[in-house]
Amino acid sequence: MAPNPHDVNALDALQDRLGHTFSNTEYLKLALTHSSYSATNNARLEFLGDSVLRLILSDELYHTLPSADPGTLTLQRIECENNAYLAEIARTLGLDECMLLGKGARRDGGGHSSSSLAGAMEALLAAVYLDSSLATVREVVFAHIVPHLPIHKHPKTLLQERLMQQLGELPSYEVMSSDTNSHEAEPQVNVQCVVNALELTTEGSGSTRKEAETAAAIEMLRLVPV
């Protein structure tokens, strides 16, 4: 039987793993309460935690990737917010064994789904924030989330790795037009990114071929499932 998160020993063990001791454990208990268990649940905390995590990641990306354009920064953040990643961190912390679930949800494995665990992880971050400060949440994020995420990878690298893992295929890039010799306007290169196995094609533009390929890779990553 899974431990009850209201049990003192279970709460203490989770706080040890997390690296934060709550002044008000009611925040922690609420973060571990699924909507199937009670009308008073972690949904509102999940909403807040999503925003807190987004702010911390945005700040980190802004400072660690100073030359990245907004599109690249957004894509990198999306990778970091992915439910599969957050759910894996939640499992590492043992949230799947500590959530309060309704009988039906527990029987159907609802507490082990990526969406439920990712939501609980975000709710837990909000609980830490309400119990302490943004600086403390940042410490938790950098201790448990950031080390496991491809936060510094280039979009073309991310696309290549994802396609090789899923399909064993690399994307191809083709220059559709190039106007780099014009002295009257800013140089413009237009590139297509093609994934034959998925019959997908995206386009990107930039002042160099590298920038255009990056833009096309970003658009393809939005289409290729994780």
Side-chain angles (χ1 to χ4, degrees):
M1 179 180 297
N4 187 321
H6 291 220
D7 177 78
V8 174
N9 291 330
L11 287 175
D12 287 346
L14 176 56
Q15 290 174 97
D16 286 343
R17 293 191 296 271
L18 184 64
H20 174 71
T21 301
F22 281 80
S23 298
N24 184 351
T25 56
E26 293 304 313
Y27 288 131
L28 176 57
K29 295 174 184 178
L30 185 60
L32 297 168
T33 303
H34 191 261
S35 59
S36 64
Y37 186 86
S38 171
T40 303
N41 54 64
N42 64 7
R44 283 170 52 84
L45 282 178
E46 179 181 344
F47 165 79
L48 178 59
D50 175 73
S51 297
V52 170
L53 176 60
R54 181 166 295 190
L55 172 60
I56 292 171
L57 292 175
S58 296
D59 179 71
E60 171 66 6
L61 288 165
Y62 179 85
H63 287 97
T64 57
L65 300 176
S67 62
D69 58 52
T72 301
L73 293 173
T74 298
L75 178 68
Q76 295 276 13
R77 192 184 65 204
I78 289 172
E79 289 290 324
C80 296
E81 296 171 325
N82 183 275
N83 276 358
Y85 286 113
L86 293 181
E88 188 58 36
I89 303 305
R91 291 187 185 95
T92 300
L93 288 170
L95 298 193
D96 54 335
E97 299 299 328
C98 292
M99 290 177 63
L100 279 178
L101 297 161
K103 291 182 179 179
R106 186 170 295 281
R107 182 183 62 247
D108 298 335
H112 298 275
S113 70
S114 290
S115 60
S116 293
L117 287 173
M121 189 66 224
E122 290 174 339
L124 183 60
L125 294 177
V128 174
Y129 170 70
L130 293 174
D131 186 69
S132 54
S133 66
L134 185 62
T136 302
V137 185
R138 183 180 175 87
E139 291 177 2
V140 170
V141 169
F142 273 73
H144 298 287
I145 297 177
V146 170
H148 302 283
L149 297 171
I151 196 168
H152 301 297
K153 290 186 179 179
H154 190 277
K156 288 180 64 178
T157 301
L158 288 173
L159 178 61
Q160 177 177 311
E161 290 179 352
R162 186 177 298 179
L163 291 176
M164 284 300 296
Q165 181 179 11
Q166 295 183 9
L167 305 169
E169 176 182 325
L170 292 173
S172 61
Y173 298 90
E174 180 181 354
V175 176
M176 304 305 295
S177 63
S178 178
D179 188 22
T180 59
N181 296 319
S182 173
H183 299 289
E184 299 180 359
E186 183 178 345
Q188 185 79 4
V189 179
N190 298 304
V191 168
Q192 271 192 346
C193 176
V194 180
V195 179
N196 290 317
L198 298 176
E199 298 183 348
L200 292 175
T201 301
T202 57
E203 297 183 3
S205 300
S207 59
T208 64
R209 175 168 181 166
K210 182 178 180 180
E211 289 183 3
E213 289 183 350
T214 298
I218 289 172
E219 292 305 311
M220 185 62 73
L221 279 163
R222 300 184 194 277
L223 301 178
V224 176
V226 177

